[in-house]
Structure formats: C-alpha cells, structure tokens
C-alpha cells in the first residue's frame, strides 16, 4: 500500500513541505498546467524544496493537472517550464494528467508502484 501526505500549495503551508518530504519514497509535485502565470512561482518553489540536503536523492514525480482544459501544457512543455532537465541525482518523471477525468492516472500509479518494487517496499501476498 501507499501512504500519502496531501500538502497544500498555499504560501502558509510551504515551510512545512520539507518536514513531510523527509524520509519519503517519492515527492509528488502537482502543477496546474493551465495556470501559466503560476509557473515561475511553482518552478522556484520546487527547486528550492529539492535543494534541502535532507531530500537529496528522493525520486520526484511532477504532474501537470487539468489536461482536459484548453491551453494545458504538454509533458514536454511542463519539463521546460519547470526546468526539470537541470535536476540531477534523482529519479524523475513528468506526466500530463486530468485528475477529474482520470487521464494518465494509470501510468502515474504504475510509475509509483515501480518505485516501491525497487525500494523493496512491495507487500507480500
């Protein structure tokens, strides 16, 4: 099974992000892929978070949500906007999803499951 923390993106919650991300198997960073105006802020917050020594090497999954709406960024555009190619020394994936329509949730879960298998956290039958 997977245990997840759902941490709010509002500014008042951001200082607690690092505390919750420590010792986890994966950091999932969800971005509104239609809200182009918030991309710079999201990119800065993500890279600031990843600079914490305590989060070194923890895999990162970036999800661009709301791909059911016009103007949503593609995966390639998300990779560029979030500057993901500069991130090193950690496993990383980026998917374009629609949580509302369940688009690409299957590949997201599959990727997360593969992390559990590799870390030896796969549950016995």
């Amino acid at each position: 099974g997977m245990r997840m923390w759902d941490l709010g993106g509002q500014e008042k919650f951001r200082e607690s992000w690092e505390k919750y991300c420590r010792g986890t198997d994966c950091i999932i960073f969800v971005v509104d892929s239609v809200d182009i105006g918030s991309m710079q802020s999201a990119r800065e917050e993500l890279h600031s978070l990843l600079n914490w020594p305590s989060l070194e090497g923890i895999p990162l999954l970036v999800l661009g949500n709301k791909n059911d709406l016009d103007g949503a960024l593609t995966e390639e555009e998300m990779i560029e906007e979030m500057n993901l190619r500069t991130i090193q020394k950690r496993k990383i994936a980026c998917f374009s999803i629609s949580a509302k329509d369940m688009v690409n949730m299957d590949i997201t879960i599959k990727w997360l499951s593969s992390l559990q298998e590799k870390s030896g956290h796969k549950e016995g039958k």
Side-chain angles (χ1 to χ4, degrees):
M2 295 180 192
R3 186 173 60 167
M4 297 192 179
W5 301 108
D6 181 8
L7 307 178
Q10 295 94 327
E11 229 168 296
K12 61 182 176 184
F13 297 126
R14 292 176 192 171
E15 60 189 40
S16 66
W17 283 359
E18 184 265 343
K19 182 176 72 178
Y20 283 95
C21 291
R22 259 180 284 172
T24 60
D25 293 323
C26 183
I27 297 166
I28 304 172
F29 197 84
V30 183
V31 180
D32 182 335
S33 65
V34 185
D35 187 0
I36 309 303
S38 71
M39 286 298 152
Q40 183 181 344
S41 169
R43 178 175 62 244
E44 287 169 0
E45 289 295 339
L46 174 64
H47 287 268
S48 167
L49 180 70
L50 297 180
N51 280 334
W52 282 87
S54 56
L55 306 186
E56 197 176 329
I58 295 176
L60 170 70
L61 173 60
V62 176
L63 299 177
N65 192 24
K66 302 187 183 176
N67 76 0
D68 52 296
L69 300 179
D70 288 341
L73 296 178
T74 64
E75 284 170 9
E76 192 58 37
E77 289 168 331
M78 284 290 303
I79 289 166
E80 287 300 317
E81 282 290 334
M82 297 302 291
N83 218 358
L84 300 183
R85 288 202 174 85
T86 63
I87 298 169
Q88 297 177 335
K89 297 182 180 170
R90 71 177 78 225
K91 194 172 170 61
I92 183 167
C94 178
F95 299 125
S96 169
I97 68 161
S98 168
K100 181 170 75 79
D101 295 342
M102 298 300 286
V103 173
N104 282 344
M105 295 309 289
D106 52 344
I107 59 170
T108 298
I109 299 296
K110 195 172 176 181
W111 191 83
L112 287 168
S113 298
S114 76
L115 284 184
Q116 284 200 309
E117 288 164 18
K118 287 185 179 104
S119 66
H121 289 176
K122 192 177 184 186
E123 293 183 347
K125 292 174 185 166

